[in-house]
């Protein structure tokens, strides 16, 4: 407990939020990564849930984890029409899903149960659905005031359509825009105001391009407007274009491109630039850093329809720091990483030391919702095999050449893709899937696919322990395994694929060796 108290003492209090525990783990991970960013910007200790819900396990798990009705626990009707066995879930410690100890070396972060114990409140009262229970977590003192003190950020204040929420406003941007700490709207926690007035043809052209909803212009649109064939050409640098934007009431912001141009998969492997009107910018730091309440609480969810971190960054350095959090600080547990490395070697051995390829085949809920790549299972596998064939051609073209990495910090190129023997047409390939129909699984194997159950040994299960029986923990092992594949293919709508892409980028994979569509 003293270690936790010492960690909290280095910050200005706690950052809490509502967590959507009914979501799957990969989306929960994105939400936690966002919370960590906010806590760091605001110099607060981030509070995360003590547990998550695993979606399936065999009966043996009853000796190790609490079985609950998922709908009852998360106050959701999403699963009410399913057979009762499909409505159940297992409540497991969040530390099974990532290395919390490692994360605490770089971030001030504790679980909700830690927070409760620090304030002499029973950890048993932690809310089952992830919401911040003000009535229970803040106890009235003798004068009737709640302790610890609390300030709530209403959900609609965070990033309504009239603003662009950034991490902080740098000094040079403040100077350009005549930023004043006076003004704002205290009723919505807005501190400060912009005092510049821009009047130019370029500003008018840019502002006409601002889309409905969020006022952010793509870099492609920016180039189309500012290129004049003289000062700004197709070869002009980001800095040159940025100078034009800054002189005309706009600013460059730094974020990430979503897979296939959509933000369902919030990976951080493709950094991009966008542009926003300066007067629409509101800083997370500027609006909330001055609050002195012991607990700063963000109400509701800010996950869907937003970029990674749920902010835009005002510098490449701050975006890069967030990438480090995602790629290296929020790490899988050591035992999962170790076993994935062993499975990598088993796949190599199956193909006589040649490189092997892999895909994620999302079925399950995607098939029910009509989101699967192909409705027919056979056609889905044929699509995967076609793309893996293209992947083999890509690996052949790369062989013996130079390996590049994703544009992420601290990545070291994985040279195995250009030094090991190339895959051959009849080689085994790895498929990670949530398909459970025995006939379909049999068909996969007949078509040359290798599944995780084909690779695990009894010794593996003993080494990793009971948690490997949880499908969500097994999925983490599969993600780590997929990160080792020489070529990887998956669906751009699946958050599972986003987790794999982050793992691959951090391990030095070449961008040519993966496709999400």
């Amino acid at each position: 407990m003293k270690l936790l108290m010492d960690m909290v003492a280095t910050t200005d209090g706690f950052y809490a939020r509502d967590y959507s525990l009914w979501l799957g783990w990969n989306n929960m991970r994105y939400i936690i990564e966002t919370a960590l960013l906010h806590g760091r910007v605001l110099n607060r200790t981030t509070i995360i849930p003590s547990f998550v819900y695993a979606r399936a396990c065999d009966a043996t798990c009853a000796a190790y984890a609490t079985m609950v009705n998922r709908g009852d626990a998360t106050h959701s009707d999403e699963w009410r029409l399913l057979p009762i066995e499909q409505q159940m879930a297992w409540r497991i410690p969040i530390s099974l899903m990532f290395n919390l100890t490692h994360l605490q070396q770089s971030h001030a972060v504790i679980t909700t149960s830690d927070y409760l114990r620090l304030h002499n409140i029973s950890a048993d009262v932690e809310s089952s659905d992830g919401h911040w229970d003000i009535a229970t977590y803040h106890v009235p003192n003798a004068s009737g005031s709640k302790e610890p003190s609390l300030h709530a950020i209403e959900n609609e204040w965070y990033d309504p359509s009239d603003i662009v929420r950034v991490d902080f406003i740098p000094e040079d941007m403040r100077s350009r825009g005549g930023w004043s700490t006076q003004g704002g709207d205290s009723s919505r926690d807005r501190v400060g105001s912009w005092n510049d007035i821009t009047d130019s043809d370029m500003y008018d052209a840019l502002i006409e391009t601002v889309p409905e909803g969020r006022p952010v212009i793509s870099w492609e649109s920016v180039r189309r407007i500012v290129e004049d064939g003289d000062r700004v050409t197709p070869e002009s640098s980001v800095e040159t274009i940025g100078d034009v934007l800054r002189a005309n009431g706009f600013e460059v912001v730094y974020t990430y491109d979503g897979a296939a141009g959509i933000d369902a998969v919030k990976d951080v492997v493709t950094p991009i630039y966008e542009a926003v009107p300066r007067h629409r910018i509101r800083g997370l730091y500027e609006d909330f850093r001055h609050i002195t309440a012991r607990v700063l609480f963000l109400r509701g969810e800010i996950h869907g329809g937003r970029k990674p971190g749920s902010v835009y960054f005002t510098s490449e350095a701050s975006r890069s720091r967030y990438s480090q959090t995602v790629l290296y600080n929020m790490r899988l547990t050591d035992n999962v990483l170790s076993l994935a490395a062993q499975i990598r070697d088993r796949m190599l051995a199956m193909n006589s030391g040649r490189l092997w390829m892999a895909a994620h085949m999302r079925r399950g809920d995607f098939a029910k919702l009509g989101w699967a790549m192909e409705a027919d299972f056979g056609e889905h596998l044929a699509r995967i095999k076609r793309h893996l064939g293209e992947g083999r051609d890509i690996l052949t073209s790369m062989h013996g050449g130079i390996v590049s990495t994703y544009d992420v910090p601290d990545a070291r190129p994985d040279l195995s893709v250009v030094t090991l023997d190339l895959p051959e047409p009849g080689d085994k390939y790895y498929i990670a899937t949530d398909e459970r129909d025995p006939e379909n699984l049999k068909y996969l194997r007949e078509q040359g696919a290798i599944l995780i159950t084909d690779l695990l040994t009894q010794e593996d299960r003993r080494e990793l322990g009971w948690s490997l029986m949880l499908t969500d923990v097994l999925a983490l092992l599969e993600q780590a395994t997929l990160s080792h594949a020489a070529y990887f293919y998956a669906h751009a709508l699946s958050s599972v694929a986003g987790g794999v892409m982050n793992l691959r980028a951090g391990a030095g994979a070449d961008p040519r060796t993966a496709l999400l569509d």
Side-chain angles (χ1 to χ4, degrees):
M1 192 62 70
K2 184 180 183 302
L3 291 175
L4 296 178
M5 294 173 68
D6 290 344
M7 178 194 302
V8 173
T10 65
T11 66
D12 295 328
F14 302 94
Y15 179 68
R17 55 166 294 169
D18 291 327
Y19 289 93
S20 302
L21 288 182
W22 54 88
L23 294 173
W25 167 247
N26 288 285
N27 280 300
M28 274 301 304
R29 176 180 171 131
Y30 297 150
I31 294 169
I32 291 170
E33 290 163 352
T34 294
L36 293 169
L37 167 66
H38 295 184
R40 183 170 55 79
V41 169
L42 298 170
N43 191 35
R44 287 178 174 269
T45 298
T46 303
I47 304 172
I48 63 174
S50 307
F51 54 81
V52 290
Y53 294 106
R55 301 187 179 196
C57 184
D58 68 30
T60 310
C61 289
Y64 304 97
T66 302
M67 191 176 189
V68 299
N69 182 289
R70 203 183 330 169
D72 293 343
T74 62
H75 304 112
S76 170
D77 292 327
E78 181 178 344
W79 306 278
R80 296 295 184 195
L81 299 180
L82 295 175
I84 189 63
E85 65 273 10
Q86 295 180 32
Q87 296 184 36
M88 308 310 287
W90 301 88
R91 193 173 80 174
I92 60 173
I94 201 165
S95 56
L96 286 178
M97 307 304 288
F98 69 95
N99 191 331
L100 179 56
T101 303
H102 177 75
L103 178 63
Q104 288 172 327
Q105 294 175 10
S106 56
H107 290 72
V109 54
I110 63 173
T111 64
T112 302
S113 61
D114 292 332
Y115 165 88
L116 294 171
R117 283 191 290 267
L118 285 170
H119 295 92
N120 296 314
I121 303 171
S122 171
D124 295 338
V125 303
E126 182 170 352
S127 67
S128 64
D129 62 2
H131 85 278
W132 187 255
D133 190 344
I134 295 174
T136 304
Y137 299 171
H138 299 264
V139 181
N141 58 21
S143 64
S145 300
K146 291 277 192 177
E147 289 186 350
S149 56
L150 173 75
H151 181 93
I153 305 169
E154 298 301 327
N155 187 264
E156 61 269 21
W157 299 349
Y158 180 76
D159 60 351
S161 60
D162 63 322
I163 73 166
V164 177
R165 180 63 71 187
V166 301
D167 51 347
F168 68 96
I169 304 174
E171 195 59 43
D172 60 337
M173 188 186 298
R174 295 184 183 200
S175 177
R176 280 192 298 275
W179 173 262
S180 170
T181 55
Q182 304 302 310
D185 182 354
S186 60
S187 69
R188 293 190 290 171
D189 280 352
R190 293 190 183 181
V191 178
S193 59
W194 297 102
N195 296 310
D196 65 328
I197 299 175
T198 304
D199 182 16
S200 69
D201 292 341
M202 180 62 71
Y203 174 82
D204 292 340
L206 288 164
I207 208 72
E208 286 180 7
T209 311
V210 172
E212 290 290 330
R214 206 160 300 283
V216 179
I217 308 176
S218 71
W219 203 245
E220 179 182 7
S221 296
V222 167
R223 278 193 171 275
R224 188 168 60 248
I225 294 167
V226 304
E227 286 178 6
D228 58 10
D230 182 19
R231 179 186 175 189
V232 183
T233 68
E235 291 74 37
S236 293
S237 67
V238 171
E239 187 60 30
T240 297
I241 295 172
D243 287 342
V244 175
L245 293 172
R246 289 184 282 268
N248 289 279
F250 274 69
E251 295 288 344
V252 180
V253 291
Y254 305 82
T255 185
Y256 306 93
D257 198 16
I262 55 179
D263 291 320
V265 174
K266 299 181 190 296
D267 62 50
V268 298
V269 306
T270 311
I272 59 171
Y273 310 97
E274 295 187 310
V276 301
R278 187 184 302 124
H279 69 278
R280 296 286 195 94
I281 288 175
R282 301 296 313 182
L284 181 73
Y285 179 93
E286 283 70 21
D287 281 351
F288 307 117
R289 180 68 174 83
H290 68 284
I291 293 169
T292 59
R294 194 67 181 144
V295 176
L296 179 62
F297 162 54
L298 175 60
R299 198 187 303 275
E301 189 53 81
I302 57 165
H303 175 55
R306 294 171 175 88
K307 292 288 189 180
S310 294
V311 296
Y312 290 85
F313 298 92
T314 53
S315 72
E316 288 193 82
S318 57
R319 181 181 60 187
S320 179
R321 179 64 190 90
Y322 180 67
S323 297
Q324 289 176 317
T325 295
V326 173
L327 299 175
Y328 308 116
N329 302 149
M330 189 88 173
R331 194 171 75 184
L332 293 173
T333 57
D334 291 344
N335 55 0
V336 166
L337 293 173
S338 175
L339 182 52
Q342 295 177 56
I343 293 173
R344 170 202 63 201
D345 293 343
R346 291 168 195 170
M347 282 297 301
L348 281 170
M350 276 189 175
N351 290 319
S352 302
R354 292 185 294 277
L355 295 168
W356 53 276
M357 300 181 293
H360 178 235
M361 187 183 201
R362 182 75 176 263
R363 299 296 294 177
D365 56 341
F366 270 38
K368 293 187 179 78
L369 293 168
W371 295 352
M373 289 176 172
E374 303 288 349
D376 180 78
F377 188 84
E379 291 179 4
H380 193 165
L381 181 59
R383 177 177 179 147
I384 288 172
K385 293 179 72 174
R386 182 172 69 253
H387 282 296
L388 293 184
E390 293 167 357
R392 186 170 57 251
D393 292 340
I394 290 170
L395 293 173
T396 300
S397 70
M398 292 172 56
H399 206 250
I402 302 298
V403 179
S404 59
T405 66
Y406 288 92
D407 186 10
V408 299
D410 306 324
R412 298 181 178 179
D414 176 7
L415 301 180
S416 65
V417 291
V418 296
T419 56
L420 295 181
D421 290 341
L422 290 164
E424 297 181 355
D427 280 357
K428 299 291 186 181
Y429 54 95
Y430 181 80
I431 292 281
T433 183
D434 56 354
E435 178 63 47
R436 293 295 176 263
D437 183 283
E439 288 302 312
N440 285 340
L441 297 178
K442 178 183 176 184
Y443 181 69
L444 286 177
R445 292 185 172 98
E446 290 172 348
Q447 294 295 310
I450 299 296
L451 307 180
I452 188 67
T453 49
D454 303 326
L455 295 164
L456 289 173
T457 68
Q458 287 301 318
E459 184 178 353
D460 295 334
R461 298 180 186 278
R462 285 192 296 269
E463 286 289 325
L464 202 61
W466 71 273
S467 64
L468 195 55
M469 294 182 288
L470 298 159
T471 56
D472 292 65
V473 174
L474 185 64
L476 296 179
L477 176 61
E478 295 217 68
Q479 282 183 306
T481 300
L482 291 167
S483 74
H484 291 296
Y487 187 85
F488 170 64
Y489 171 65
H491 196 345
L493 286 180
S494 173
S495 58
V496 174
V500 175
M501 294 300 288
N502 285 333
L503 287 168
R504 291 177 66 83
D510 190 298
R512 293 170 289 180
T513 65
L515 173 65
L516 303 189
D517 74 354

